[in-house]
Amino acid sequence: MAYLAPIHRPSSVRHALRIRLLEPDTECLVVAKANRLEIYAQHDDGITLSYTKTLYGKVTMLEKLQFAQSPTEHLFVGTDRFMYFTLSWDNESQQLCTQKTYIDQSDKTSRDSQNQDRCHVDPTKQFMALQLYDGIVTILPLISKGKKKGPSEAFSLGEPVPTRIKEYFVRSSCFLYPTETDDPGPRLAILYEDNHQKVCLSTKRLDYSPGGAGDPGSANLVDLTARDDLELGASHLIPVPAPAYGLLILTESTIAFMDDVTGELTNKPLDEPAIFVTWAEIDAQRWLLADDYGRLFLLILVIGNHRAKMFEMNMIGNTSRASVLVHLGNGFVFVGSHQGDSQVVRIQEGGIVIVQNLPNIAPILDFTVMDMGNRSGETHSNEYASGQARIVTGSGAFQDGSLRSIRSGVGMEEQGLLGEMNHISDLFPLYSSGARAHSDILAASFVDETRVFRFSPEGEVEELEDFMGMSLFEGSLWLSNIAGNRLLQVTSSRVTILDLDSGMATAEWSAEDASPITVASANEKHLVISTGGSEAIIFDLSRDLHITARRAFSQEGQISCMHVPKICPDICVVGFWQSASVAILSISNLETLRKVVMSGDAVNVPRSVALTQLIVNEAPTLLVAMANGEIVTFSVSPTNFDLGSRKATILGTQGATFKILPRSGELSNVFAICEHSSLIYGSEGRILYAAVTAEEASCVSPFDCDAYPGAIALATPKDLRIALVDTERTTHVQTLKVNAAVRRVAYSPKLKAFGIGTIYRELKTGYEMIQSHFKLADEVMFKELDSHTLYSDELVESCIRADLRDGSGELVERFVVGTAYMDLEGQDIVRGRIMVFAVTPERKLQVVSELATMGACRALDVIDGNIVAALVKTVIIYALNAPSLTKLATYRTSTAPIALSISGSEIAIADLMKSVSVLSYTRPTHPGGSHSLVEVARHFQTAWATAVAHVDEHTLLESDAEGNLMVLKQNVAGVTADDRRRLEVVSEIRLGEMVNRIRTVEVEQSGTAVVVPKAFMATVDGSVYLFALITPAKQDLLMRLQQAVAARVQSPGNVPFNVYRAFKNSVREAEEPFRFVDGELIEKFLDCPATLQESICTELGLKEQADVEEMRTMVEGLRRIH
């Protein structure tokens, strides 16, 4: 049984509009990204996200509707399942609410629109027209509340009425603005291609008759005019309002204006050809046009005597290749892009300026998993989280192409480097005077010294040779400012209080028997230290180090760690070595108030403790870091200090060190320093763990100074830095701009480099030039090291890093590249090439072998040190005998293999039309024998496969071009040979996005894991998903939990979850997902109120409060996975 969870949300923008949705007098920007709606507010510096909502369907249409009785506009949404619904904004709940519940407009007898789904509202705001199928226009009347309308009909759409048209291959359409001489009824203009491949334009008048009770009414589109004298490159229609009244027709070489009154057609040739892709209206005489090469044009219609006299068009700048343009007013334009970053630009004199970039990693053509967070090849048995993985994608297309490094975690932005400093043991922020609002002193403690740095308000740094009489010739265990304009310093030999005004010591204490101080912690009132590791002493800081209590711990053993919290000043928390326990002690007399044994293992002891407020309006949280890398949390009662809600999470294999970072108000975050440093924070009533993007942190401290407000000081084994850290987890994307489509990506950990296949496109004097390269790029700096140029008519199709046998039996690391030729005329044999590259010590590419192939090389992989190549209709195994490649075995496929996956001796082949087949590779058993490829299994259903991967023994994950996922399992225990050859569907779901690439991952998982991660998937819409297999013990529970949550959590439009996620392709349509759990839905359990959570658990047979808490803990663990 399978589990699916999103790591990176879709970022591709195909639809957007400006609408008065939130307030009657304020417009906002609504953007659709696959199955998500995002609402942005506009300001002088760009736009900011103010609301986001997930839909049960991929958005294919957006339109705004205005009803007479509604103060705000409504949002019309259409999805890829031919469903539509209308939404409005509820100010009271601050949520989108459904006005018109979803209506299914699917028609199995009609052919889907070959271009795109269209939605138009006529200028009179009376009708909406949908074009979902070729030859059919669906009319929906807009209903406003009247005397005879019931409350349910207010602000809604009428029943849909389909009407047929003779125009099938529609390129563009629009409603025309009504003129004073128009006959009653809206007019629809249609740009289409007829059966003779002529481009024609027709106009039709809508005749609509409302029906009676229960009758949807009737509609008919009556032909008015038609013409077939348009250019073949005509692509878009733009309606022109008063006073000109007409229609702009965009073609590749001209712009034409058709006068709606006279029917006269005026053409203006373009200075150079352009392929227009979208447009936006500024006003009645100006429009913005965007072309396929990222150029932005301003079109101006000059009007005289209420007639269009001429028009001008000027290029005003370059942007990402636009999918949609939205004029935001005041010269601002939103450029929504599918192939590059979306942008906000401002039109100014002389051109445009880019105000804001909104990152977009779509379409992901290929990706590689760079690392899983491990260090030096170690194998860690830790609780897996994808935030520890670094994924590098080939994103964008042509001029918007780039490499993107993606890591989900807490971001850290470096602000400054203080210099190389080895082995810093701790950091302390200080004030030079009690009157300061921000820290200006940073103290760094080493083994045998303490160094002090002063920061000016401008950020200049000065190291001080002396500071207020502090002892700088020994390491400091504790440093802090205390009341009375004083400074507290604790070293291994003494405790000192210094006066900041005079720089003199006002109090000092050292052990009578010269026992060393091993641990120290303080708050505003008290200091607690441990001497000799076995005795605890409490000092009253207001009384100049007056000892209020001391206690020797003989039974518990030596003290390993301690913490004096600020939120509960009457207690201190102490961890012990021998007893492996943690105790809460009274600050007045060191009596034990509460004690808990953390482990029965004498080696697994507490190494760090912290008590702070992580979650608003909840009890404080006690965190204990164990020596084995486990983090244990308790809720602590602020009245009697009872410990409850014990939970454990494994971060690594070594004990972590805690540092508390202030957040807001009384809330704090906790920085856990270990081999997988993480930020522990509260969100939505739960404690979350997020990997930090900082590498090799050895100690951390908050450092809120004038020059770097809200910053932290971070030390590594080699240097000291100032940085800004996020307060919670986000997805961080690092970009290497390539300016070409990164079609294929391969990564070499040994070489610390990427091999990338790129396709560069350029427009020269009206001609499109294509050039492919194979490049070597450094993994750290993301810079190009070397490049190999392919032939001018050759495209990169595949690329891998492989350990190949070089003919002598030794394995050598090589990059292998497969190509295809674009122009096949005059080539009877050669259709592509396979090239093998070595990387020289100077980090340059060297071709060691090259082979011309009879088919395009769509995919590559390696088996037993040999190359597996997927050519058109053939899979071939080659051996590398430099400088040649020797054919070992071949297999004839059904149509065209496009993806390969290898596990052991098995080769899984994803076929363009015939789903998946599995081959078995056999080496010769005796000298002179032959290699063989034999089909051992096949999936016999039709599926347009896009990717395949082994996720378990005899188990495959397949994606298809229609957005479905299938888990296929070979029936090796079948009774007959035919049964054993079948790949059976054991899980299936509709993802709604086409997957381009699946990469498997190997994760060592703990025995209590609910799911086992198996693969990452990347889609054309910029999403990255985690695929996992559910452990047998949890399969039934998660399936029933999914059903229970789906029944209670409604999506906009009230689309049923089962309808949304049910498998659907051109051959078969299911009623619900089969043995597949949607992690995004499961995690909504945590967003439910406590009463609803209890109701869900009761339905599942979990009636005790402990069962509800256990369910929360399980779902929290699933959320942490990604």
Side-chain angles (χ1 to χ4, degrees):
M1 186 176 290
Y3 184 87
L4 181 72
I7 294 173
H8 186 275
R9 308 286 185 182
S11 55
S12 163
V13 176
R14 299 178 192 264
H15 306 278
L17 53 79
R18 190 182 181 201
I19 181 175
R20 292 184 293 105
L21 180 67
L22 307 182
E23 300 289 343
D25 301 323
T26 304
E27 291 188 306
C28 60
L29 176 69
V30 177
V31 175
K33 298 180 179 179
N35 68 329
R36 298 177 69 82
L37 285 179
E38 296 181 351
I39 300 177
Y40 290 85
Q42 184 182 349
H43 50 80
D44 292 340
D45 298 326
I47 56 176
T48 54
L49 180 65
S50 56
Y51 181 80
T52 182
K53 190 70 174 179
T54 301
L55 308 179
Y56 284 172
K58 183 177 180 179
V59 177
T60 57
M61 292 183 292
L62 281 183
E63 189 55 84
K64 58 183 177 182
L65 305 176
Q66 180 64 67
F67 297 98
Q69 303 298 322
S70 174
T72 60
E73 293 175 319
H74 291 196
L75 183 66
F76 173 88
V77 182
T79 73
D80 60 339
R81 298 294 290 261
F82 305 108
M83 300 175 182
Y84 72 80
F85 46 88
T86 57
L87 306 173
S88 65
W89 182 256
D90 185 352
N91 273 320
E92 183 175 343
S93 64
Q94 293 293 293
Q95 296 286 331
L96 288 173
C97 63
T98 302
Q99 289 292 335
K100 180 75 172 181
T101 303
Y102 87 99
I103 294 181
D104 189 347
Q105 281 295 299
S106 58
D107 185 350
K108 295 180 175 59
T109 63
S110 301
R111 185 177 67 184
D112 295 354
S113 174
Q114 299 300 296
N115 196 331
Q116 63 178 5
D117 294 345
R118 296 181 183 84
C119 171
H120 304 296
V121 175
D122 88 284
T124 64
K125 305 291 193 276
Q126 297 180 23
F127 298 95
M128 174 183 285
L130 305 181
Q131 290 178 261
L132 309 177
Y133 298 96
D134 286 339
I136 297 177
V137 176
T138 301
I139 304 298
L140 295 94
L142 274 64
I143 299 176
S144 293
K145 187 174 181 180
K147 296 181 180 179
K148 298 183 179 180
K149 301 290 190 302
S152 63
E153 294 181 284
F155 321 141
S156 187
L157 292 172
E159 292 299 314
V161 181
T163 180
R164 291 197 171 272
I165 58 175
K166 63 183 179 181
E167 296 83 2
Y168 273 78
F169 302 101
V170 177
R171 294 186 178 184
S172 182
S173 59
C174 66
F175 276 109
L176 297 175
Y177 286 93
T179 65
E180 297 177 357
T181 59
D182 268 354
D183 294 331
R187 292 174 301 142
L188 183 68
I190 299 176
L191 180 71
Y192 68 99
E193 183 180 334
D194 66 10
N195 294 331
H196 303 289
Q197 297 183 338
K198 282 186 176 182
V199 178
C200 308
L201 175 66
S202 66
T203 58
K204 300 174 181 293
R205 187 184 69 246
L206 172 63
D207 288 340
Y208 177 80
S209 300
D215 186 354
S218 63
N220 188 30
L221 288 170
V222 181
D223 291 332
L224 295 178
T225 63
R227 60 192 313 156
D228 60 359
D229 56 348
L230 304 182
E231 288 195 16
L232 291 178
S235 58
H236 290 78
L237 299 179
I238 301 177
V240 177
Y245 288 120
L247 196 63
L248 285 169
I249 305 170
L250 306 184
T251 76
E252 294 180 1
S253 58
T254 65
I255 292 181
F257 176 76
M258 188 186 77
D259 192 300
D260 195 13
V261 178
T262 65
E264 180 183 350
L265 189 67
T266 305
N267 287 284
K268 176 181 174 59
L270 300 177
D271 294 335
E272 57 179 312
I275 303 174
F276 295 109
V277 291
T278 187
W279 59 274
E281 180 182 297
I282 299 177
D283 53 35
Q285 294 178 242
R286 294 180 300 167
W287 293 265
L288 289 169
L289 311 179
D291 77 350
D292 195 43
Y293 297 90
R295 297 179 297 182
L296 194 63
F297 299 89
L298 178 63
L299 175 63
I300 302 175
L301 192 64
V302 180
I303 298 176
N305 297 324
H306 304 288
R307 296 283 303 276
K309 297 180 63 177
M310 60 177 293
F311 37 90
E312 301 173 356
M313 192 175 76
N314 298 298
M315 178 182 165
I316 58 174
N318 287 279
T319 66
S320 299
R321 194 270 192 191
S323 298
V324 60
L325 294 174
V326 180
H327 182 241
L328 301 176
N330 298 322
F332 287 89
V333 179
F334 173 73
V335 181
S337 179
H338 167 66
Q339 297 183 1
D341 291 342
S342 294
Q343 297 167 327
V344 176
V345 302
R346 184 174 66 244
I347 304 174
Q348 59 185 21
E349 187 176 352
I352 63 171
V353 59
I354 296 176
V355 176
Q356 184 179 5
N357 271 297
L358 286 78
N360 169 33
I361 65 171
I364 302 177
L365 304 179
D366 196 7
F367 77 100
T368 182
V369 181
M370 186 171 168
D371 67 72
M372 296 301 294
N374 297 334
R375 303 290 186 268
S376 304
E378 298 172 356
T379 56
H380 296 152
S381 178
N382 65 306
E383 184 166 319
Y384 171 84
S386 69
Q388 299 166 7
R390 181 180 175 189
I391 298 172
V392 177
T393 67
S395 298
F398 301 118
Q399 70 269 16
D400 298 315
S402 62
L403 271 183
R404 307 283 180 121
S405 173
I406 304 168
R407 176 169 279 171
S408 176
V410 176
M412 192 169 293
E413 181 181 351
E414 186 175 314
Q415 301 294 301
L417 178 66
L418 270 69
E420 295 185 1
M421 302 179 201
N422 297 329
H423 309 300
I424 298 175
S425 59
D426 212 340
L427 296 167
F428 304 96
L430 301 172
Y431 303 90
S432 59
S433 69
R436 295 193 60 86
H438 298 278
S439 299
D440 62 336
I441 302 294
L442 178 64
S445 175
F446 298 79
V447 175
D448 55 357
E449 66 172 337
T450 300
R451 297 173 65 177
V452 179
F453 303 89
R454 184 194 299 274
F455 285 71
S456 72
E458 293 76 25
E460 296 180 357
V461 183
E462 175 191 5
E463 183 171 3
L464 305 179
E465 296 182 359
D466 178 71
F467 180 68
M468 301 301 177
M470 276 177 49
S471 175
L472 301 182
F473 299 102
E474 56 184 331
S476 297
L477 298 176
W478 187 268
L479 280 166
S480 64
N481 292 87
I482 57 176
N485 201 26
R486 298 175 299 164
L487 180 68
L488 173 66
Q489 181 183 22
V490 182
T491 68
S492 60
S493 60
R494 66 177 63 86
V495 180
T496 308
I497 293 181
L498 303 164
D499 182 72
L500 291 179
D501 293 326
S502 64
M504 302 293 290
T506 60
E508 186 173 292
W509 179 92
S510 60
E512 297 175 356
D513 58 355
S515 298
I517 301 173
T518 57
V519 188
S521 180
N523 58 17
E524 289 84 353
K525 297 180 179 180
H526 297 95
L527 165 69
V528 181
I529 65 170
S530 172
T531 59
S534 60
E535 184 182 30
I537 304 174
I538 296 181
F539 298 90
D540 187 341
L541 297 178
S542 64
R543 299 167 61 186
D544 286 339
L545 298 181
H546 174 73
I547 297 177
T548 60
R550 62 195 307 165
R551 176 181 174 184
F553 294 91
S554 55
Q555 291 183 336
E556 291 85 352
Q558 290 191 323
I559 296 173
S560 61
C561 52
M562 61 172 48
H563 174 62
V564 182
K566 293 183 178 181
I567 57 172
C568 298
D570 298 328
I571 62 172
C572 66
V573 185
V574 180
F576 298 96
W577 286 98
Q578 281 79 0
S579 61
S581 61
V582 170
I584 295 180
L585 309 178
S586 170
I587 203 75
S588 60
N589 54 19
L590 288 176
E591 287 186 2
T592 302
L593 302 177
R594 296 290 181 270
K595 181 180 177 181
V596 59
V597 177
M598 301 300 302
S599 169
D601 186 355
V603 178
N604 187 24
V605 298
R607 297 304 305 271
S608 184
V609 291
L611 177 62
T612 189
Q613 189 78 39
L614 291 179
I615 306 172
V616 65
N617 298 327
E618 295 285 345
T621 301
L622 172 64
L623 300 97
V624 182
M626 304 300 291
N628 66 346
E630 188 178 47
I631 305 294
V632 183
T633 62
F634 300 89
S635 63
V636 180
S637 169
T639 54
N640 57 13
F641 309 114
D642 282 341
L643 301 177
S645 303
R646 175 171 177 162
K647 299 176 184 177
T649 300
I650 297 176
L651 286 187
T653 59
Q654 302 172 8
T657 302
F658 294 138
K659 265 302 178 78
I660 297 175
L661 304 179
R663 188 172 181 180
S664 61
E666 296 183 352
L667 291 181
S668 299
N669 291 343
V670 175
F671 199 109
I673 306 164
C674 56
E675 71 263 40
H676 296 308
S677 294
S678 298
L679 191 75
I680 306 171
Y681 64 97
S683 177
E684 300 175 351
R686 320 307 299 172
I687 298 174
L688 302 179
Y689 298 75
V692 180
T693 56
E695 300 285 345
E696 300 180 339
S698 57
C699 56
V700 168
S701 172
F703 188 59
D704 183 19
C705 63
D706 290 325
Y708 306 106
I712 66 168
L714 180 142
T716 72
K718 296 181 180 180
D719 54 42
L720 176 60
R721 309 172 186 182
I722 303 299
L724 293 176
V725 64
D726 293 341
T727 57
E728 57 187 35
R729 182 176 71 178
T730 55
T731 300
H732 300 273
V733 180
Q734 179 186 355
T735 302
L736 169 63
K737 195 70 176 175
V738 180
N739 297 317
V742 181
R743 185 166 173 79
R744 294 292 178 256
V745 181
Y747 172 63
S748 169
K750 181 180 177 181
L751 298 172
K752 298 186 183 304
F754 297 99
I756 58 176
T758 67
I759 303 176
Y760 176 75
R761 183 181 68 169
E762 185 179 14
L763 192 65
K764 288 186 177 181
T765 62
Y767 291 92
E768 185 177 80
M769 310 297 292
I770 300 290
Q771 182 65 64
S772 284
H773 299 83
F774 177 67
K775 300 176 182 286
L776 189 68
D778 179 73
E779 77 160 52
V780 178
M781 301 301 294
F782 259 33
K783 68 177 182 179
E784 183 179 315
L785 299 173
D786 197 16
S787 178
H788 179 86
T789 304
L790 304 184
Y791 297 145
S792 59
D793 59 347
E794 193 174 22
L795 294 179
V796 171
E797 289 283 358
S798 51
C799 169
I800 62 168
R801 183 219 65 89
D803 291 320
L804 303 177
R805 300 185 190 279
D806 62 353
S808 63
E810 296 295 327
L811 290 177
V812 292
E813 186 175 41
R814 297 288 185 261
F815 285 107
V816 187
V817 177
T819 72
Y821 289 109
M822 291 185 289
D823 185 8
L824 303 181
E825 293 183 9
Q827 298 183 20
D828 298 328
I829 300 176
V830 177
R831 297 292 184 268
R833 281 194 299 170
I834 297 175
M835 291 176 288
V836 181
F837 291 89
V839 179
T840 66
E842 295 78 24
R843 307 190 83 180
K844 299 295 182 182
L845 293 171
Q846 178 182 356
V847 179
V848 297
S849 185
E850 179 181 330
L851 176 70
T853 61
M854 296 179 63
C857 186
R858 302 295 188 191
L860 290 166
D861 213 321
V862 61
I863 187 169
D864 196 27
N866 299 315
I867 299 171
V868 183
L871 310 181
V872 176
K873 295 191 71 69
T874 311
V875 172
I876 304 177
I877 296 180
Y878 293 101
L880 174 62
N881 295 299
S884 62
L885 292 174
T886 304
K887 185 186 297 184
L888 300 180
T890 63
Y891 170 79
R892 193 76 169 170
T893 61
S894 299
T895 55
I898 58 171
L900 298 172
S901 177
I902 294 178
S903 176
S905 61
E906 282 191 353
I907 305 174
I909 304 170
D911 192 89
L912 181 63
M913 296 176 62
K914 298 297 183 180
S915 193
V916 171
S917 57
V918 179
L919 311 181
S920 176
Y921 168 61
T922 306
R923 291 175 59 86
T925 57
H926 57 277
S930 60
H931 300 254
S932 66
L933 282 174
V934 179
E935 182 178 296
V936 295
R938 175 181 287 274
H939 182 224
F940 288 94
Q941 296 180 13
T942 298
W944 293 72
T946 59
V948 67
H950 285 86
V951 293
D952 205 357
E953 186 178 8
H954 304 299
T955 306
L956 299 164
L957 173 64
E958 178 192 6
S959 62
D960 70 14
E962 295 175 271
N964 299 297
L965 295 177
M966 292 176 284
V967 180
L968 307 174
K969 190 175 183 64
Q970 185 179 357
N971 184 15
V972 293
V975 177
T976 66
D978 185 61
D979 291 338
R980 291 189 290 273
R981 288 188 66 247
R982 289 185 177 274
L983 290 174
E984 300 175 345
V985 177
V986 295
S987 299
E988 64 180 20
I989 195 172
R990 181 175 176 83
L991 181 62
E993 303 173 51
M994 190 178 82
V995 174
N996 266 343
R997 181 68 69 186
I998 304 173
R999 298 287 189 189
T1000 57
V1001 293
E1002 294 293 334
V1003 178
E1004 188 177 346
Q1005 196 71 16
S1006 62
T1008 58
V1010 178
V1011 299
V1012 181
K1014 290 295 183 181
F1016 291 130
M1017 302 179 296
T1019 74
V1020 295
D1021 289 294
S1023 302
V1024 179
Y1025 289 89
L1026 172 71
F1027 173 84
L1029 294 178
I1030 305 173
T1031 55
K1034 299 294 184 180
Q1035 291 179 358
D1036 178 66
L1037 177 62
L1038 285 182
M1039 284 298 298
R1040 292 190 294 121
L1041 176 61
Q1042 177 171 265
Q1043 293 175 357
V1045 174
R1048 291 167 172 81
V1049 176
Q1050 295 293 325
S1051 79
N1054 300 326
V1055 179
F1057 171 79
N1058 284 342
V1059 173
Y1060 164 53
R1061 286 301 192 192
F1063 179 96
K1064 179 181 182 295
N1065 64 12
S1066 57
V1067 178
R1068 180 173 63 90
E1069 184 172 353
E1071 296 182 354
E1072 60 182 4
F1074 175 58
R1075 292 172 55 84
F1076 227 118
V1077 174
D1078 184 344
E1080 189 172 14
L1081 176 68
I1082 290 291
E1083 291 163 19
K1084 289 182 180 178
F1085 174 83
L1086 299 176
D1087 302 329
C1088 297
T1091 54
L1092 187 55
Q1093 290 181 351
E1094 293 172 2
S1095 172
I1096 292 173
C1097 290
T1098 300
E1099 181 179 327
L1100 302 181
L1102 308 173
K1103 300 182 180 180
E1104 302 295 330
Q1105 184 61 38
D1107 295 330
V1108 179
E1109 186 61 35
E1110 184 178 348
M1111 179 66 76
R1112 291 195 195 105
T1113 303
M1114 182 189 72
V1115 179
E1116 284 175 359
L1118 293 173
R1119 175 180 281 181
R1120 281 197 299 270
I1121 287 178
H1122 63 95

